[in-house]
Amino acid sequence: MSRGKAGVWFLLCSFVSLQILRGSAAAADGNKNKEFYIVYLGDSHENEDLAAQSHLQLLSSLKGSDNEAKESLVYSYTKSFNAFAAKLSQYEAEELSSLEEVVSVFPNRYHELHTTKSWDFIGFPQTARRNPKMESDIVVALFDTGITPQSESFADKGFGPPPPKWKGSCGHYANFSGCNNKLIGAKYFKLDGTRNPSDILSPVDVQGHGTHTSSTLAGNLVPNANLFGLAGGAARGAVPWARVAMYKVCWVGEGCSDMDLLAAFDAAIHDGVDVISISIGGMMPNYTEDSIAIGAFHAMRRGILTVTSAGNDGPSLASVANHAPWLVTVAASGIDRQFRSKVQLGDGRTLWGVGVNMFDPKEKLYPLVSGADAGANSSKWSASYCMDNSLDRVKVKGKLVYCKFSMPGGDSVVKGSGGIGAIIESLQFLDTARIFMAPSTMVNGTLGEAIDKYIHSTRSPSAVIYRTEEVKIPAPFVASFSSRGPNPGSQHILKPDIAAPGINILASFTPMRSLTGLKGDTQYSKFNLMSGTSMACPHVAGIAAYVKSFHPSWTPAAIKSAIMTTAKPMSRRTNPDGDFAYGAGQLNPTRALNPGLVYDVGEMSYIQFLCSEGYPGSSLRVLLGPDRPVNCSSLVPGVGYDSLNYPTMQLTLRNARERTVGVFVRTVTNVGPARSVYNATVRAPKGVKIAVKPMSLSFTRAMQKRSFKVIVEAEPTLENQVVSGSLAWKGLHRVVRSPIVINGIRFDGEPDRLGMD
Ligand SMILES: *[C@@H]1O[C@H](CO)[C@@H](O)[C@H](O)[C@H]1NC(C)=O
Ligand SMILES: *[C@@H]1O[C@H](CO)[C@@H](O)[C@H](O)[C@H]1NC(C)=O
Ligand SMILES: *[C@@H]1O[C@H](CO)[C@@H](O)[C@H](O)[C@H]1NC(C)=O
Ligand SMILES: *[C@@H]1O[C@H](CO)[C@@H](O)[C@H](O)[C@H]1NC(C)=O
Ligand SMILES: *[C@@H]1O[C@H](CO)[C@@H](O)[C@H](O)[C@H]1NC(C)=O
Ligand SMILES: *[C@@H]1O[C@H](CO)[C@@H](O)[C@H](O)[C@H]1NC(C)=O
């Protein structure tokens, strides 16, 4: 049951080396052998107090003592669903799960966390059409590391009181200046009760991640935002008039636990939020065991869309997280801007590295040494990676050091050892600009080799690194780190759903942390550049809020469909993993307002889907509650190959001997002009036949539904390949496009590339 990796998803870009927790975290105090469990009792109780009381009663009868029951109960979830968290032995957990009224019991696990210019780049200018009155009634929720209330991005000038539907709150917290009419809610959840000396029990953001994602989603327009002159422009969120509610669930070094995530869902659903944005990993392939999938299902039932990040475990295949069909799963793409530094070698050659280096050189050239030759205590290997305590101070003093990348922080180690800075060779993630705390840059393997050769071919090698410049690069492309499909949870559903900018995004930051978080870094800024699917997620959550401000009655699935079917197709040529990298394509905000047709999905359709995926009805009580038992064999089965009215289609090859045929049944709802006609345009790759019946859909009124079939036949020769086609319904002014993926790569059983155990 334990998770593979833990930590925080923005690790990749923010250089902090965090303590890694594995599996479920045991209680910190003397209660050895006892861990936290979440006990699920199903749907909401009518009365919150009664529900909480029933939790204690259940525990009392288990433990035979009211006192012990009180001691073991950690939290009662009573607002939006009926569950509790408690400290239990494994035996007690098993006892509980055998009880009639208990729907499921699962151990508390810890999850990983996973600008300016980005909005213009995807065609969403400052002047885009808006509905400020409606937008200011939208409340966006973020489950993250907290927020910086004093940031200009969350000032409330011009904002009236919160919308009447808002039931949330914001109290007085340590080191937290308080909420206002823009930041209308702030809470924190830390149910394991352990003290974390590196964090503060308060919604305040000491890591910067939550401040960054919140300002990308809904931050005010802040003119002249930049990072030491780089990436200058006005910073703004997708919906600057919307209200923000922060639910802090992620803690320095610990990650984000199931108990806290569920508490955030329980609260946010009750508080009246419209969209939830979660840049945190959910890696359980089983949707009835993943707290994000479970919480988001409850949110969906109450009309709230949950948008999540796909993860930073790319480019390995089948690495995508948060892949339940009721979630929006967001991949990260790059925009047409990169940050490069010129490096000049003593022999006159120049080359270019990647990264943000704010330092102007004071000398023409500095002596250059290879880390491998400057090791202390003959630790040649660790010195070649500039690892902590590996360098000899005498050998690096006043020099630039060339070393290989193993983890962020080589620049800090060199500086701490008396060196000037570092040229770091890396074989991956060269599409992402790291921020350095000493003069440094990152080069690829070819250039690294050339530098190494130069160092060893001359008596006194030297080099200089110049201050970073902004350069234009071809875009869009999917980030190397962005997690890829195929979906480890279902071979019928394409994931990720969509791509949005997630490389070198400028947004607000916390004053409580240096830009890199590295030892010795004295750089602070109100804005910071960060990369990760964590940064892509709030772009899509923001556009979901934007769409909702024009169409407040649309269901979560309709909003999601609008965003997906209007996405800009991306190129398989520049993104070899194709749809497994970008889903429906690049987010296209202004078109998402007017999709013409939407693929809607109701709550029971997801249940039919889960039944057809082999989930026993009894396991679905976690999603629906015990009062609405599901018997999959008596339920009307879902129709077609995938049993779900999903806006994309994925056919998985059955075997290499015969043709695989899939019939997809779809229903679209007319949300465009009452009278309209849409004709099908099909693109089929080699080895695939795609037929659509009927080829034309005509509508005479709004909200009218029309059904059709898509028959996909794939040749067995496609074994080990992934190919893409598409279906586009073309109306007078609208195109409703669905990618059709044929997956010939088989992942039998548990995809072991996930490193799960
Ligand atoms: C938080 O507030 C306390 C009490 O006012 C203060 O001593 C402490 O330095 C603050 N912590 C940070 C990180 O600002
Ligand atoms: C080298 O070894 C000594 C003694 O074993 C140790 O104290 C030191 O941290 C090591 N590294 C450096 C850089 O001196
Ligand atoms: C490294 O970068 C150089 C210069 O941009 C390029 O010519 C070379 O092909 C790159 N090498 C690799 C392995 O990508
Ligand atoms: C998911 O987990 C539930 C509960 O542990 C189990 O009953 C069910 O069979 C699992 N479903 C699938 C498809 O693995
Ligand atoms: C589910 O429905 C089937 C068919 O209607 C029936 O045979 C079976 O007994 C039911 N199972 C349960 C647990 O009610
Ligand atoms: C759809 O096809 C019909 C028949 O070929 C044609 O008359 C009509 O103009 C087409 N409509 C659109 C929107 O392309």
Side-chain angles (χ1 to χ4, degrees):
M1 294 281 266
S2 68
R3 234 159 246 279
K5 288 180 279 175
V8 189
W9 272 9
F10 67 107
L11 248 185
L12 190 120
C13 39
S14 68
F15 312 359
V16 161
S17 126
L18 295 164
Q19 179 200 337
I20 303 288
L21 286 176
R22 279 181 188 280
S24 33
D29 52 42
N31 269 328
K32 285 232 160 71
N33 305 327
K34 297 217 170 172
E35 297 193 348
F36 295 108
Y37 285 87
I38 295 157
V39 179
Y40 213 92
L41 299 155
D43 211 2
S44 248
H45 223 278
E46 270 155 36
N47 181 314
E48 287 180 28
D49 292 337
L50 279 182
Q53 236 169 42
S54 74
H55 299 162
L56 271 177
Q57 271 162 15
L58 197 60
L59 280 170
S60 283
S61 60
L62 175 77
K63 307 222 171 213
S65 140
D66 287 355
N67 268 348
E68 274 192 52
K70 273 191 198 129
E71 262 171 35
S72 90
L73 183 66
V74 174
Y75 196 75
S76 281
Y77 308 91
T78 55
K79 293 187 175 70
S80 308
F81 40 88
N82 187 7
F84 63 88
K87 202 178 276 183
L88 301 170
S89 68
Q90 195 182 341
Y91 174 76
E92 290 169 331
E94 280 164 18
E95 282 280 285
L96 271 181
S97 58
S98 68
L99 297 179
E100 179 92 22
E101 61 266 49
V102 171
V103 165
S104 82
V105 178
F106 54 89
N108 177 51
R109 292 170 300 251
Y110 289 75
H111 299 242
E112 323 172 306
L113 265 175
H114 282 245
T115 301
T116 331
K117 160 101 173 152
S118 57
W119 290 121
D120 289 322
F121 180 71
I122 59 175
F124 189 54
Q126 219 167 294
T127 52
R129 192 156 69 91
R130 292 204 169 272
N131 205 343
K133 173 77 195 63
M134 297 291 276
E135 194 174 303
S136 70
D137 280 346
I138 299 273
V139 184
V140 298
L142 295 102
F143 299 176
D144 213 303
T145 61
I147 196 163
T148 303
Q150 69 273 28
S151 161
E152 289 162 80
S153 294
F154 313 115
D156 69 349
K157 193 159 168 266
F159 281 81
K165 67 177 178 187
W166 176 245
K167 287 200 267 171
S169 61
C170 178
H172 293 284
Y173 300 103
N175 307 76
F176 193 80
S177 58
C179 290
N180 58 27
N181 284 331
K182 167 77 184 175
L183 173 61
I184 60 172
K187 289 193 168 85
Y188 71 86
F189 297 98
K190 178 95 171 68
L191 296 177
D192 67 7
T194 56
R195 239 181 57 77
N196 183 330
S198 314
D199 212 319
I200 300 173
L201 277 181
S202 149
V204 75
D205 182 13
V206 303
Q207 305 191 59
H209 188 272
T211 302
H212 200 279
T213 53
S214 306
S215 58
T216 300
L217 205 174
N220 296 323
L221 180 82
V222 182
N224 301 321
N226 64 76
L227 177 62
F228 300 136
L230 284 175
R236 62 191 161 99
V239 277
W241 287 107
R243 322 291 180 131
V244 176
M246 170 56 65
Y247 300 82
K248 176 167 167 180
V249 295
C250 299
W251 301 88
V252 175
E254 297 179 313
C256 337
S257 88
D258 285 319
M259 301 194 279
D260 296 338
L261 276 161
L262 280 175
F265 273 112
D266 192 38
I269 294 168
H270 164 266
D271 290 350
V273 308
D274 293 282
V275 173
I276 299 175
S277 180
I278 307 182
S279 292
I280 299 172
M283 281 299 259
M284 295 302 286
N286 185 322
Y287 303 137
T288 62
E289 296 178 334
D290 188 278
S291 57
I292 294 179
I294 295 169
F297 196 90
H298 288 276
M300 176 272 296
R301 293 178 70 195
R302 287 160 182 83
I304 305 164
L305 181 64
T306 303
V307 182
T308 55
S309 44
N312 299 335
D313 294 318
S316 315
L317 291 176
S319 52
V320 63
N322 292 318
H323 41 66
W326 49 90
L327 295 173
V328 185
T329 312
V330 186
S333 59
I335 60 174
D336 62 349
R337 171 184 70 194
Q338 186 51 284
F339 300 98
R340 298 228 165 109
S341 288
K342 190 160 85 174
V343 177
Q344 180 143 25
L345 300 180
D347 64 5
R349 271 186 293 170
T350 59
L351 42 97
W352 290 83
V354 181
V356 175
N357 164 42
M358 326 289 193
F359 308 95
D360 278 314
K362 293 196 182 65
E363 287 166 33
K364 251 179 111 179
L365 287 167
Y366 294 90
L368 174 66
V369 66
S370 169
D373 302 334
N377 305 348
S378 65
S379 56
K380 194 176 165 90
W381 181 82
S382 53
S384 72
Y385 289 93
C386 288
M387 287 179 174
D388 242 348
N389 292 322
S390 67
L391 297 174
D392 184 329
R393 299 188 71 90
V394 174
K395 293 182 191 152
V396 301
K397 188 163 189 299
K399 294 183 183 165
L400 286 174
V401 182
Y402 154 75
C403 44
K404 297 197 171 88
F405 179 81
S406 71
M407 61 188 294
D411 49 332
S412 167
V413 172
V414 169
K415 179 104 191 270
S417 308
I420 293 291
I423 301 176
I424 299 165
E425 174 192 326
S426 176
L427 304 180
Q428 50 182 352
F429 308 130
L430 286 153
D431 50 2
T432 306
R434 291 174 186 280
I435 298 173
F436 296 107
M437 52 81 69
S440 301
T441 195
M442 194 174 262
V443 298
N444 72 17
T446 317
L447 299 179
E449 228 170 86
I451 292 168
D452 196 35
K453 227 170 168 181
Y454 161 68
I455 290 174
H456 294 109
S457 69
T458 174
R459 192 170 305 207
S460 46
S462 59
V464 64
I465 306 169
Y466 292 99
R467 191 186 170 98
T468 295
E469 305 169 24
E470 272 178 59
V471 299
K472 243 181 133 68
I473 55 167
F477 56 92
V478 175
S480 57
F481 58 77
S482 186
S483 287
R484 268 47 173 191
N487 183 345
S490 164
Q491 52 170 282
H492 297 108
I493 302 292
L494 171 65
K495 289 281 175 172
D497 290 310
I498 190 153
I503 295 184
N504 307 338
I505 303 299
L506 186 81
S508 289
F509 199 61
T510 178
M512 302 178 94
R513 185 167 168 268
S514 72
L515 288 179
T516 64
L518 291 171
K519 203 158 81 186
D521 190 5
T522 54
Q523 308 175 99
Y524 288 83
S525 170
K526 284 189 199 171
F527 295 90
N528 197 358
L529 286 165
M530 294 176 89
S531 301
T533 53
S534 282
M535 282 66 238
C537 173
H539 278 87
V540 174
I543 295 310
Y546 177 64
V547 172
K548 192 162 185 189
S549 74
F550 284 83
H551 308 289
S553 65
W554 284 11
T555 64
I559 293 173
K560 172 176 170 175
S561 172
I563 289 173
M564 286 170 67
T565 62
T566 56
K568 205 179 202 157
M570 289 178 79
S571 151
R572 182 178 270 280
R573 212 163 343 117
T574 42
N575 299 283
D577 298 318
D579 312 67
F580 286 163
Y582 46 68
Q586 175 94 313
L587 175 67
N588 194 353
T590 49
R591 279 205 47 216
L593 282 189
N594 282 301
L597 307 173
V598 291
Y599 294 81
D600 204 357
V601 182
E603 165 187 334
M604 278 323 281
S605 301
Y606 289 118
I607 296 297
Q608 289 168 313
F609 163 80
L610 291 170
C611 284
S612 76
E613 290 279 307
Y615 284 78
S618 59
S619 73
L620 305 180
R621 295 198 301 172
V622 169
L623 306 176
L624 284 178
D627 316 334
R628 301 191 45 198
V630 175
N631 179 344
C632 282
S633 23
S634 62
L635 199 70
V636 179
V639 292
Y641 174 77
D642 53 4
S643 301
L644 194 66
N645 196 34
Y646 211 68
T648 59
M649 289 165 234
Q650 175 170 311
L651 179 72
T652 300
L653 225 57
R654 206 162 345 110
N655 57 51
R657 293 180 307 278
E658 55 192 352
R659 273 189 316 174
T660 303
V661 182
V663 179
F664 296 83
V665 179
R666 293 290 187 267
T667 299
V668 284
T669 307
N670 180 22
V671 294
R675 292 191 166 277
S676 39
V677 176
Y678 290 83
N679 295 338
T681 303
V682 169
R683 275 195 39 236
K686 221 173 126 200
V688 180
K689 275 195 209 137
I690 299 174
V692 180
K693 289 179 185 164
M695 285 289 282
S696 183
L697 302 174
S698 58
F699 298 86
T700 52
R701 55 187 172 81
M703 299 312 284
Q704 195 170 23
K705 291 182 189 290
R706 290 278 183 249
S707 294
F708 60 91
K709 280 183 191 163
V710 181
I711 302 120
V712 183
E713 290 180 54
E715 295 298 334
T717 49
L718 294 174
E719 168 105 36
N720 295 325
Q721 294 180 53
V722 181
V723 295
S724 330
S726 64
L727 161 65
W729 288 107
K730 292 191 177 161
L732 206 49
H733 298 295
R734 293 172 180 80
V735 179
V736 188
R737 182 179 171 276
S738 296
I740 302 173
V741 183
I742 295 86
N743 178 22
I745 307 177
R746 262 199 308 280
F747 291 84
D748 291 324
E750 289 267 298
D752 56 11
R753 298 197 198 190
L754 293 182
M756 300 190 58
D757 44 20

